[in-house]
Amino acid sequence: MAKITTAVLQKMKQQADKITMLTAYDASFAKLFAEQGVDVLLIGDSLGMVLQGHSDTLPVTVADITYHTKSVRAGAPDAFVIADLPFMSYATPEQAMQSVTPLMQAGANMVKLEGGDFLLPTIQALTERGVPVCGHLGLTPQSVHIFGGYKVQGKTDAAADAMLAQAKALQDAGAQLLVLECIPTPLARRITEALRIPVIGIGAGNVTDGQVLVMHDLLGISSGYIPKFSKNYLAQTGEIRSAIAAYVSEVKSQVFPGTEHSFN
Ligand code: KIV
């Protein structure tokens, strides 16, 4: 398999070759995911919930993400790795530049940050300094207290138009990838078709250029609330390697996500 780069991801969008992404936090799973052909590994700040046991992602620190990025990089030396910038670690462009340094030095190929217009100067500053950026719109978990819970975003015409405008602005500022979380499928289609850069969905239907899931949801080992958009592939296959292979195959063939995992 060709080594994944931002140029390869761009080409995959153009060729309608669906991009597979999974969260990974340690070397063993990172190695296994890479062996099963997962295109992109994300050290998500979801680790605050699935590893640390918090009820949201807000307690996660840059040091936490740095530690897990080092582990993932050790397990998957050739993988394309994205590291999340945690809550309040990129409130200003200056702070973002400080926060990305240990993440890139730990082996990340790209950083992901949540939000819209306020991030435009930050994205420009990072990309000008050689740090590739992935945006994240829709249900951005670091803003859970603004949203009043984990709710589908972009449901009204005005909210949908605003999200499309923000997606274009992130791209124009230099973002090279975009995650859309928990939005109606028709809006995900509009944004995916309007952007040059690849769009990765989670709870955004099968119309985006790729999919991402939290590995604990895919393996059915998350406790508490299980999101409608996730699928337990371990229950379906009974073995971890086969579960990952099934996820990759179902994303590539657009079987996953089905309408039962999507919002309209
Ligand atoms: O933190 C995370 O795992 C994420 C994904 C759910 C996209 O941001």
Side-chain angles (χ1 to χ4, degrees):
M1 204 177 73
K3 189 172 154 88
I4 303 288
T5 61
T6 51
V8 170
L9 294 174
Q10 187 63 51
K11 203 166 165 196
M12 289 173 79
K13 177 178 178 108
Q14 284 153 8
Q15 296 178 340
D17 178 5
K18 296 282 179 183
I19 298 164
T20 55
M21 191 191 298
L22 258 187
T23 65
Y25 316 102
D26 70 36
S28 301
F29 276 110
K31 181 169 186 288
L32 190 153
F33 295 166
E35 285 168 355
Q36 295 305 315
V38 177
D39 296 312
V40 179
L41 304 182
L42 169 67
I43 297 89
D45 61 357
S46 51
L47 69 83
M49 299 169 83
V50 297
L51 298 191
Q52 298 174 340
H54 301 297
S55 59
D56 56 46
T57 61
L58 275 58
V60 177
T61 64
V62 173
D64 293 334
I65 300 283
T66 304
Y67 173 89
H68 290 283
T69 300
K70 280 183 191 159
S71 304
V72 166
R73 177 52 76 208
D78 295 325
F80 191 85
V81 166
I82 303 179
D84 257 350
L85 278 167
F87 178 66
M88 277 296 152
S89 68
Y90 51 101
T92 64
E94 292 69 28
Q95 194 190 9
M97 285 187 271
Q98 287 192 353
S99 300
V100 300
T101 305
L103 302 183
M104 297 301 285
Q105 290 177 340
N109 300 101
M110 180 177 262
V111 296
K112 179 166 79 60
L113 30 71
E114 300 180 4
D117 293 340
F118 84 97
L119 287 174
L120 302 180
T122 300
I123 294 173
Q124 197 174 344
L126 291 176
T127 53
E128 280 172 357
R129 287 159 180 78
V131 179
V133 172
C134 175
H136 186 160
L137 292 173
L139 172 52
T140 44
Q142 291 171 18
S143 301
V144 62
H145 297 304
I146 296 280
F147 297 141
Y150 295 99
K151 297 175 181 165
V152 180
Q153 301 297 308
K155 282 166 58 174
T156 65
D157 287 349
D161 290 347
M163 202 183 299
L164 174 61
Q166 290 194 341
K168 287 180 181 166
L170 295 180
Q171 171 183 265
D172 292 346
Q176 289 177 288
L177 203 65
L178 176 67
V179 167
L180 293 177
E181 180 163 353
C182 251
I183 65 167
T185 303
L187 174 58
R189 185 191 300 279
R190 274 178 76 195
I191 295 175
T192 303
E193 289 177 355
L195 296 196
R196 297 181 305 277
I197 59 172
V199 176
I200 310 297
I202 174 164
N206 70 354
V207 296
T208 51
D209 301 307
Q211 299 293 327
V212 57
L213 280 182
V214 171
M215 58 163 281
H216 291 63
D217 290 344
L218 180 152
L219 296 175
I221 53 175
S222 302
S223 55
Y225 170 71
I226 308 291
K228 163 186 160 108
F229 53 73
S230 72
K231 179 167 173 181
N232 181 345
Y233 281 93
L234 190 57
Q236 179 179 311
T237 58
E239 201 266 326
I240 290 178
R241 278 184 181 73
S242 308
I244 306 307
Y247 168 67
V248 170
S249 161
E250 289 198 2
V251 171
K252 293 281 181 195
S253 58
Q254 294 179 54
V255 170
F256 178 80
T259 47
E260 70 275 27
H261 308 113
S262 309
F263 305 99
N264 277 303

